[in-house]
């Protein structure tokens, strides 16, 4: 079977946007909105990585993603805990969406895309350039600012801002 963006069963074009989303930023949301226009169904998939110590639990990250995408009817939120290609096959999707902010992202993304291609050549990775407005933005930067009670208003959706304030509330 050749690489295709249609699912075998339904003919719907299903894509998966995977990531840590700890937490979702305006940069992620911009990619979600743009990718949702390109596919019939976009699954935003949170990696449940037991070896990392995230700020937000998987359920909290999924909840925040659900809140900030509630106006996008063809977007759903899910999580996975093993190989991404297994999750993609289980969902009958064929496309991985990833955002690229700068050349520094490129090497890592190329390695991931090549690995996923090696694991399943029917799965295609599609890259979208991050909106230049958010090219410097990452979840780590956002957490660092929030930890020191800086203003993250322009960097994350309001729901996430509130969640960060609650996490870093002084005792
Ligand atoms: O937001 P992130 O942390 O850059 O996302 C990385 C992610 C979750 C896409 C990547 O780590 C991943 O797909 N992990 C699942 C394990 C896997 O499939 N590894 C092989 C491909 S590198």
């Amino acid at each position: 079977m050749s690489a295709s963006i249609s699912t075998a069963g339904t003919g719907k074009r299903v894509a998966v946007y995977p990531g840590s989303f700890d937490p979702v930023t305006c940069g992620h949301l911009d990619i979600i909105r743009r990718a949702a226009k390109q596919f019939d169904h976009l699954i935003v998939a949170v990696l449940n990585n037991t070896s990392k110590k995230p700020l937000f639990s998987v359920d909290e990250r999924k909840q925040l993603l659900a809140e900030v995408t509630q106006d996008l009817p063809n977007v759903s939120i899910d999580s996975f805990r093993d190989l991404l290609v297994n999750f993609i096959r289980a969902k009958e999707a064929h496309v991985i969406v990833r955002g690229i902010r700068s050349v520094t992202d490129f090497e890592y993304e190329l390695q991931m895309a090549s690995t996923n291609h090696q694991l399943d050549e029917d799965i295609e990775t599609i890259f979208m350039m991050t909106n230049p407005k958010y090219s410097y933005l990452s979840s780590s930067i956002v957490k660092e600012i929030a930890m020191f009670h800086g203003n993250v208003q322009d960097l994350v959706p309001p729901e996430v801002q509130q969640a960060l304030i609650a996490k870093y509330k002084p005792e």
Side-chain angles (χ1 to χ4, degrees):
M1 197 179 101
S2 64
S4 153
I5 58 170
S6 293
T7 60
T10 62
K12 286 212 167 127
R13 295 169 309 136
V14 183
V16 172
Y17 179 33
S20 303
F21 303 108
D22 184 36
V24 57
T25 67
C26 289
H28 294 130
L29 190 54
D30 176 65
I31 297 284
I32 293 171
R33 289 190 178 284
R34 286 159 52 205
K37 288 188 195 153
Q38 304 301 325
F39 297 94
D40 296 312
H41 182 193
L42 178 72
I43 304 170
V44 182
V46 178
L47 175 65
N48 189 347
N49 186 346
T50 44
S51 67
K52 268 194 187 174
K53 180 89 190 74
L55 177 64
F56 292 97
S57 70
V58 171
D59 283 345
E60 288 172 329
R61 284 180 268 163
K62 283 171 73 177
Q63 178 61 34
L64 287 171
L65 277 161
E67 286 173 23
V68 304
T69 58
Q70 60 181 336
D71 63 320
L72 301 171
N74 66 332
V75 172
S76 62
I77 314 300
D78 212 327
S79 59
F80 68 107
R81 56 167 69 248
D82 68 339
L83 281 181
L84 177 60
V85 292
N86 292 344
F87 175 81
I88 294 192
R89 283 194 210 111
K91 297 292 168 185
E92 297 194 338
H94 294 269
V95 176
I96 300 168
V97 173
R98 292 285 289 173
I100 290 200
R101 290 167 297 191
S102 63
V103 283
T104 38
D105 279 344
F106 182 75
E107 246 178 89
Y108 172 58
E109 293 298 334
L110 178 64
Q111 186 184 28
M112 270 206 304
S114 304
T115 305
N116 287 325
H117 181 80
Q118 200 279 328
L119 292 171
D120 188 332
E121 64 179 24
D122 285 332
I123 295 175
E124 202 65 66
T125 301
I126 289 184
F127 295 109
M128 300 185 78
M129 302 314 296
T130 297
N131 186 325
K133 230 170 41 176
Y134 304 123
S135 62
Y136 64 94
L137 187 56
S138 69
S139 297
S140 309
I141 291 275
V142 162
K143 283 183 280 193
E144 188 160 319
I145 298 171
M147 185 168 64
F148 296 114
H149 311 294
N151 186 356
V152 292
Q153 187 182 343
D154 295 333
L155 313 181
V156 293
E159 297 85 343
V160 178
Q161 186 187 9
Q162 288 314 312
L164 282 164
I165 290 170
K167 280 273 178 207
Y168 290 119
K169 204 161 59 190
E171 295 295 303

